[in-house]
Amino acid sequence: MEWKGVINTYRKYLPVTDKTPVITLHEGNTPLVKADNLSEELGGNLQIYLKYEGMNPTGSFKDRGMTLAVSKALEEGSKAVMCASTGNTSASAAAYSAKAKIDSIVLIPKGAIALGKLSQALIHGAKVVPIQGNFDDALKLVKTITSKYPITLVNSLNPYRIQGQKTGSFEICDVMGKAPDYHAIPVGNAGNITAYWRGYKEYKNHGIIDSLPKMIGFQAAGACPIVKGCIVDKPDTVATAIKIGNPASWKQAEMARDESGGLIDSVKDDEILEAYKMLAELEGVFVEPASAASIAGVKKLNEKGYFKKDDCIVCILTGHGLKDPDRAIEMIEEPESIPATEDAVVKHLRLDEG
Ligand code: F0G
């Protein structure tokens, strides 16, 4: 059967009626890939699955929430949406607003978002406003402005974003027939960990699953306010998507952690980049650096003996690697060119040496 996006598929669990216009790019239904090569590399004691959210229409998990946020904005008669963003939210807001024929305005930290994401926001026709500040400054401004002007805020403070994003849990449970033992996820503004926890709890309340996963979230070491227990004024990490010092859903993330018996930990930039490369080399899955935080975190915890044998872990890979190709090319030197002759190629590859 044709997949028609998360609203049409999970309508009965979402705050929509027959009158709600459905603005969809057929988001969701992303692959859940069993990562045997990676599991083996990490010691062979775990069953690791990758939820490849980079396969959403704009290349990140944000589309699950944006389909609902923009549909509801339209239903409520809004003519414009606005967000602060480290890149992916702006790309998604721009695309869904284009489809809905409403305006989008995005505030981004100047010079601090990956080029692929900026290109998306621009080509979809968003009004892009780079500010001389970081994401936290941008979010504060967006909250103030949307409270004073008739513009709908579509950051994850918008409850419809969380409602839409909870469908990721539904898909995991529908495919596996149960919840995993652990749910590993990068944490930035903390909306996604909040949404997934909500989704699992709802499926359990409906009797669709018997048990809940432990939620394990990972922040970058240079931007880990929840781990430290205080706001980070100058967050810093290669994982620009999660370069956030004062997450909007801080309390809800702590609740997900505590209710589930999980944890929120930090991973260093070099651990994130190692995991980033490992995923691409071992699993054929290309993600952006922030997404690799979930793998780096699982690796770190496994080395400390945190898991039991054969524990089943789903890692959320939040965004596509093509968003930020410069990072990959920086890590692996771009090869030099050679003459366009058979002889040169054979010699270069040393095929003539037997
Ligand atoms: N991974 C990616 C690729 C992201 O873009 C984000 C957040 C996260 C993880 C963290 O998710 O904020 O729900 O905890 N990106 C936002 C943005 C902040 O503006 O695109 P979170």
mmCIF file of all heavy atoms in Angstrom, residues 60-62 84-90 117 135 155-156 161 165 186-193 241-242 244 288 290-291 318-319, ligand 1:
data_model
loop_
_atom_site.group_PDB
_atom_site.id
_atom_site.type_symbol
_atom_site.label_atom_id
_atom_site.label_comp_id
_atom_site.label_asym_id
_atom_site.label_seq_id
_atom_site.Cartn_x
_atom_site.Cartn_y
_atom_site.Cartn_z
ATOM 1 N N SER A 60 15.910 14.966 7.338
ATOM 2 C CA SER A 60 16.028 14.853 8.800
ATOM 3 C C SER A 60 14.682 14.496 9.428
ATOM 4 O O SER A 60 13.627 14.597 8.788
ATOM 5 C CB SER A 60 16.558 16.142 9.438
ATOM 6 O OG SER A 60 15.493 17.046 9.700
ATOM 7 N N PHE A 61 14.742 14.135 10.701
ATOM 8 C CA PHE A 61 13.546 13.751 11.469
ATOM 9 C C PHE A 61 12.559 14.894 11.653
ATOM 10 O O PHE A 61 11.405 14.665 12.031
ATOM 11 C CB PHE A 61 13.963 13.233 12.853
ATOM 12 C CG PHE A 61 14.486 14.283 13.791
ATOM 13 C CD1 PHE A 61 13.648 14.880 14.718
ATOM 14 C CD2 PHE A 61 15.806 14.688 13.754
ATOM 15 C CE1 PHE A 61 14.118 15.856 15.594
ATOM 16 C CE2 PHE A 61 16.295 15.665 14.615
ATOM 17 C CZ PHE A 61 15.447 16.248 15.538
ATOM 18 N N LYS A 62 12.988 16.111 11.386
ATOM 19 C CA LYS A 62 12.124 17.272 11.650
ATOM 20 C C LYS A 62 10.823 17.196 10.850
ATOM 21 O O LYS A 62 9.813 17.765 11.257
ATOM 22 C CB LYS A 62 12.840 18.567 11.294
ATOM 23 C CG LYS A 62 14.177 18.754 11.964
ATOM 24 C CD LYS A 62 14.045 19.073 13.434
ATOM 25 C CE LYS A 62 15.416 19.260 14.051
ATOM 26 N NZ LYS A 62 15.378 19.597 15.462
ATOM 27 N N ALA A 84 13.720 29.261 15.040
ATOM 28 C CA ALA A 84 15.170 29.400 15.191
ATOM 29 C C ALA A 84 15.728 28.049 14.820
ATOM 30 O O ALA A 84 15.065 27.040 15.052
ATOM 31 C CB ALA A 84 15.515 29.715 16.636
ATOM 32 N N SER A 85 16.933 28.008 14.260
ATOM 33 C CA SER A 85 17.387 26.690 13.847
ATOM 34 C C SER A 85 18.894 26.567 13.723
ATOM 35 O O SER A 85 19.572 27.514 13.340
ATOM 36 C CB SER A 85 16.748 26.325 12.510
ATOM 37 O OG SER A 85 17.105 25.017 12.135
ATOM 38 N N THR A 86 19.386 25.358 14.044
ATOM 39 C CA THR A 86 20.763 25.007 13.705
ATOM 40 C C THR A 86 20.796 24.429 12.286
ATOM 41 O O THR A 86 21.806 23.885 11.867
ATOM 42 C CB THR A 86 21.335 23.989 14.721
ATOM 43 O OG1 THR A 86 20.466 22.847 14.765
ATOM 44 C CG2 THR A 86 21.437 24.594 16.105
ATOM 45 N N GLY A 87 19.694 24.493 11.574
ATOM 46 C CA GLY A 87 19.684 24.133 10.159
ATOM 47 C C GLY A 87 18.556 23.227 9.714
ATOM 48 O O GLY A 87 17.834 23.521 8.769
ATOM 49 N N ASN A 88 18.376 22.098 10.396
ATOM 50 C CA ASN A 88 17.391 21.133 9.908
ATOM 51 C C ASN A 88 15.947 21.595 10.085
ATOM 52 O O ASN A 88 15.112 21.377 9.207
ATOM 53 C CB ASN A 88 17.590 19.785 10.602
ATOM 54 C CG ASN A 88 18.752 19.027 9.998
ATOM 55 O OD1 ASN A 88 18.942 19.050 8.784
ATOM 56 N ND2 ASN A 88 19.540 18.374 10.830
ATOM 57 N N THR A 89 15.654 22.224 11.201
ATOM 58 C CA THR A 89 14.288 22.721 11.398
ATOM 59 C C THR A 89 13.966 23.758 10.325
ATOM 60 O O THR A 89 12.853 23.778 9.772
ATOM 61 C CB THR A 89 14.120 23.344 12.800
ATOM 62 O OG1 THR A 89 14.456 22.351 13.766
ATOM 63 C CG2 THR A 89 12.697 23.814 13.049
ATOM 64 N N SER A 90 14.945 24.596 10.006
ATOM 65 C CA SER A 90 14.694 25.636 8.999
ATOM 66 C C SER A 90 14.454 25.015 7.623
ATOM 67 O O SER A 90 13.566 25.453 6.886
ATOM 68 C CB SER A 90 15.843 26.647 8.954
ATOM 69 O OG SER A 90 17.030 26.060 8.508
ATOM 70 N N LYS A 117 21.933 22.584 4.547
ATOM 71 C CA LYS A 117 20.705 23.017 5.229
ATOM 72 C C LYS A 117 20.331 24.443 4.825
ATOM 73 O O LYS A 117 19.163 24.761 4.589
ATOM 74 C CB LYS A 117 20.901 22.948 6.748
ATOM 75 C CG LYS A 117 21.325 21.566 7.229
ATOM 76 C CD LYS A 117 21.658 21.547 8.711
ATOM 77 C CE LYS A 117 22.222 20.192 9.101
ATOM 78 N NZ LYS A 117 22.569 20.112 10.529
ATOM 79 N N PHE A 135 22.309 29.695 18.581
ATOM 80 C CA PHE A 135 20.944 29.164 18.488
ATOM 81 C C PHE A 135 20.080 29.631 19.660
ATOM 82 O O PHE A 135 18.908 29.982 19.484
ATOM 83 C CB PHE A 135 20.980 27.625 18.446
ATOM 84 C CG PHE A 135 19.614 27.012 18.586
ATOM 85 C CD1 PHE A 135 18.783 26.854 17.483
ATOM 86 C CD2 PHE A 135 19.116 26.622 19.842
ATOM 87 C CE1 PHE A 135 17.505 26.322 17.613
ATOM 88 C CE2 PHE A 135 17.848 26.090 19.988
ATOM 89 C CZ PHE A 135 17.042 25.944 18.864
ATOM 90 N N ASN A 155 9.205 25.872 16.258
ATOM 91 C CA ASN A 155 10.217 25.112 16.997
ATOM 92 C C ASN A 155 9.490 24.053 17.815
ATOM 93 O O ASN A 155 8.261 24.055 17.894
ATOM 94 C CB ASN A 155 11.036 26.046 17.903
ATOM 95 C CG ASN A 155 12.118 26.761 17.103
ATOM 96 O OD1 ASN A 155 11.977 27.944 16.772
ATOM 97 N ND2 ASN A 155 13.174 26.048 16.769
ATOM 98 N N SER A 156 10.256 23.175 18.487
ATOM 99 C CA SER A 156 9.585 22.063 19.173
ATOM 100 C C SER A 156 8.839 22.497 20.432
ATOM 101 O O SER A 156 8.209 21.672 21.102
ATOM 102 C CB SER A 156 10.571 20.933 19.471
ATOM 103 O OG SER A 156 11.678 21.421 20.191
ATOM 104 N N ARG A 161 4.692 19.750 17.018
ATOM 105 C CA ARG A 161 5.975 19.182 16.582
ATOM 106 C C ARG A 161 6.241 17.874 17.344
ATOM 107 O O ARG A 161 6.598 16.848 16.763
ATOM 108 C CB ARG A 161 7.101 20.191 16.856
ATOM 109 C CG ARG A 161 7.242 21.326 15.832
ATOM 110 C CD ARG A 161 8.058 20.872 14.619
ATOM 111 N NE ARG A 161 9.263 20.160 15.029
ATOM 112 C CZ ARG A 161 10.404 20.729 15.417
ATOM 113 N NH1 ARG A 161 10.553 22.037 15.378
ATOM 114 N NH2 ARG A 161 11.442 20.002 15.783
ATOM 115 N N GLN A 165 6.465 14.036 15.918
ATOM 116 C CA GLN A 165 7.720 13.292 16.041
ATOM 117 C C GLN A 165 7.566 11.985 16.831
ATOM 118 O O GLN A 165 8.369 11.072 16.666
ATOM 119 C CB GLN A 165 8.804 14.180 16.668
ATOM 120 C CG GLN A 165 9.353 15.170 15.655
ATOM 121 C CD GLN A 165 10.305 16.213 16.222
ATOM 122 O OE1 GLN A 165 10.296 17.343 15.781
ATOM 123 N NE2 GLN A 165 11.114 15.869 17.206
ATOM 124 N N PRO A 186 20.623 11.446 19.904
ATOM 125 C CA PRO A 186 21.315 12.702 20.195
ATOM 126 C C PRO A 186 20.352 13.703 20.822
ATOM 127 O O PRO A 186 19.157 13.701 20.500
ATOM 128 C CB PRO A 186 21.781 13.200 18.826
ATOM 129 C CG PRO A 186 21.150 12.343 17.805
ATOM 130 C CD PRO A 186 20.431 11.217 18.461
ATOM 131 N N VAL A 187 20.876 14.551 21.682
ATOM 132 C CA VAL A 187 20.027 15.545 22.345
ATOM 133 C C VAL A 187 20.578 16.945 22.086
ATOM 134 O O VAL A 187 21.753 17.214 22.335
ATOM 135 C CB VAL A 187 19.953 15.276 23.867
ATOM 136 C CG1 VAL A 187 19.166 16.381 24.563
ATOM 137 C CG2 VAL A 187 19.326 13.916 24.149
ATOM 138 N N GLY A 188 19.717 17.798 21.541
ATOM 139 C CA GLY A 188 20.093 19.191 21.301
ATOM 140 C C GLY A 188 19.143 20.094 22.062
ATOM 141 O O GLY A 188 19.343 20.419 23.225
ATOM 142 N N ASN A 189 18.050 20.457 21.384
ATOM 143 C CA ASN A 189 17.030 21.270 22.042
ATOM 144 C C ASN A 189 16.078 20.383 22.863
ATOM 145 O O ASN A 189 15.168 20.865 23.517
ATOM 146 C CB ASN A 189 16.266 22.071 20.985
ATOM 147 C CG ASN A 189 15.771 23.393 21.494
ATOM 148 O OD1 ASN A 189 16.336 23.959 22.426
ATOM 149 N ND2 ASN A 189 14.701 23.896 20.903
ATOM 150 N N ALA A 190 16.289 19.076 22.746
ATOM 151 C CA ALA A 190 15.646 18.036 23.579
ATOM 152 C C ALA A 190 14.184 17.734 23.227
ATOM 153 O O ALA A 190 13.485 17.053 23.984
ATOM 154 C CB ALA A 190 15.791 18.363 25.067
ATOM 155 N N GLY A 191 13.732 18.190 22.054
ATOM 156 C CA GLY A 191 12.371 17.874 21.621
ATOM 157 C C GLY A 191 12.219 16.420 21.210
ATOM 158 O O GLY A 191 11.206 15.783 21.500
ATOM 159 N N ASN A 192 13.229 15.875 20.542
ATOM 160 C CA ASN A 192 13.072 14.540 19.972
ATOM 161 C C ASN A 192 13.046 13.449 21.035
ATOM 162 O O ASN A 192 12.240 12.535 20.968
ATOM 163 C CB ASN A 192 14.186 14.274 18.947
ATOM 164 C CG ASN A 192 13.718 13.411 17.792
ATOM 165 O OD1 ASN A 192 12.513 13.323 17.511
ATOM 166 N ND2 ASN A 192 14.643 12.755 17.114
ATOM 167 N N ILE A 193 13.888 13.566 22.047
ATOM 168 C CA ILE A 193 13.862 12.553 23.124
ATOM 169 C C ILE A 193 12.514 12.621 23.848
ATOM 170 O O ILE A 193 11.923 11.606 24.205
ATOM 171 C CB ILE A 193 15.069 12.724 24.100
ATOM 172 C CG1 ILE A 193 15.151 11.532 25.058
ATOM 173 C CG2 ILE A 193 15.010 14.046 24.868
ATOM 174 C CD1 ILE A 193 16.425 11.505 25.910
ATOM 175 N N ALA A 241 24.447 20.764 14.590
ATOM 176 C CA ALA A 241 22.998 20.589 14.786
ATOM 177 C C ALA A 241 22.621 20.580 16.265
ATOM 178 O O ALA A 241 21.509 20.948 16.624
ATOM 179 C CB ALA A 241 22.523 19.301 14.122
ATOM 180 N N ILE A 242 23.540 20.136 17.118
ATOM 181 C CA ILE A 242 23.229 20.045 18.557
ATOM 182 C C ILE A 242 24.093 21.006 19.380
ATOM 183 O O ILE A 242 24.339 20.781 20.567
ATOM 184 C CB ILE A 242 23.334 18.584 19.083
ATOM 185 C CG1 ILE A 242 24.687 17.948 18.740
ATOM 186 C CG2 ILE A 242 22.194 17.745 18.522
ATOM 187 C CD1 ILE A 242 24.905 16.578 19.409
ATOM 188 N N ILE A 244 23.840 23.580 21.299
ATOM 189 C CA ILE A 244 22.772 24.264 22.019
ATOM 190 C C ILE A 244 23.108 24.260 23.519
ATOM 191 O O ILE A 244 23.462 23.215 24.068
ATOM 192 C CB ILE A 244 21.414 23.554 21.751
ATOM 193 C CG1 ILE A 244 21.046 23.728 20.265
ATOM 194 C CG2 ILE A 244 20.304 24.087 22.657
ATOM 195 C CD1 ILE A 244 19.823 22.975 19.812
ATOM 196 N N GLU A 288 24.860 12.955 9.362
ATOM 197 C CA GLU A 288 25.607 14.151 9.744
ATOM 198 C C GLU A 288 26.204 13.926 11.135
ATOM 199 O O GLU A 288 25.737 13.042 11.876
ATOM 200 C CB GLU A 288 24.716 15.380 9.675
ATOM 201 C CG GLU A 288 23.512 15.359 10.576
ATOM 202 C CD GLU A 288 22.828 16.724 10.578
ATOM 203 O OE1 GLU A 288 23.441 17.670 11.096
ATOM 204 O OE2 GLU A 288 21.709 16.834 10.060
ATOM 205 N N ALA A 290 26.049 15.198 14.128
ATOM 206 C CA ALA A 290 25.188 15.145 15.324
ATOM 207 C C ALA A 290 24.527 13.777 15.472
ATOM 208 O O ALA A 290 24.372 13.258 16.582
ATOM 209 C CB ALA A 290 24.104 16.225 15.250
ATOM 210 N N SER A 291 24.134 13.185 14.362
ATOM 211 C CA SER A 291 23.446 11.888 14.403
ATOM 212 C C SER A 291 24.355 10.796 14.958
ATOM 213 O O SER A 291 23.881 9.842 15.576
ATOM 214 C CB SER A 291 23.000 11.481 13.004
ATOM 215 O OG SER A 291 22.232 12.493 12.413
ATOM 216 N N THR A 318 19.565 10.963 13.076
ATOM 217 C CA THR A 318 18.622 12.065 12.895
ATOM 218 C C THR A 318 18.677 12.813 11.569
ATOM 219 O O THR A 318 17.669 13.341 11.112
ATOM 220 C CB THR A 318 18.831 13.061 14.042
ATOM 221 O OG1 THR A 318 20.250 13.271 14.176
ATOM 222 C CG2 THR A 318 18.282 12.550 15.345
ATOM 223 N N GLY A 319 19.875 12.877 10.957
ATOM 224 C CA GLY A 319 19.993 13.683 9.737
ATOM 225 C C GLY A 319 20.953 13.079 8.722
ATOM 226 O O GLY A 319 21.881 12.332 9.071
HETATM 227 N N1 F0G B 1 20.201 15.690 15.260
HETATM 228 C C1 F0G B 1 20.018 16.586 14.275
HETATM 229 C C2 F0G B 1 20.536 16.261 12.928
HETATM 230 C C3 F0G B 1 19.355 17.816 14.553
HETATM 231 O O1 F0G B 1 19.188 18.684 13.578
HETATM 232 C C4 F0G B 1 18.913 18.065 15.859
HETATM 233 C C5 F0G B 1 18.254 19.333 16.195
HETATM 234 C C6 F0G B 1 19.124 17.078 16.835
HETATM 235 C C7 F0G B 1 19.758 15.907 16.500
HETATM 236 C C8 F0G B 1 18.652 17.245 18.230
HETATM 237 O O2 F0G B 1 17.278 17.113 18.344
HETATM 238 O O3 F0G B 1 16.791 19.329 19.290
HETATM 239 O O4 F0G B 1 15.086 17.522 19.297
HETATM 240 O O5 F0G B 1 17.076 17.391 20.772
HETATM 241 N N2 F0G B 1 18.179 20.312 15.407
HETATM 242 C C9 F0G B 1 17.427 21.543 15.651
HETATM 243 C C10 F0G B 1 17.385 22.404 14.406
HETATM 244 C C11 F0G B 1 17.803 22.246 16.880
HETATM 245 O O6 F0G B 1 17.247 23.633 14.509
HETATM 246 O O7 F0G B 1 17.453 21.866 13.311
HETATM 247 P P1 F0G B 1 16.491 17.883 19.499
#
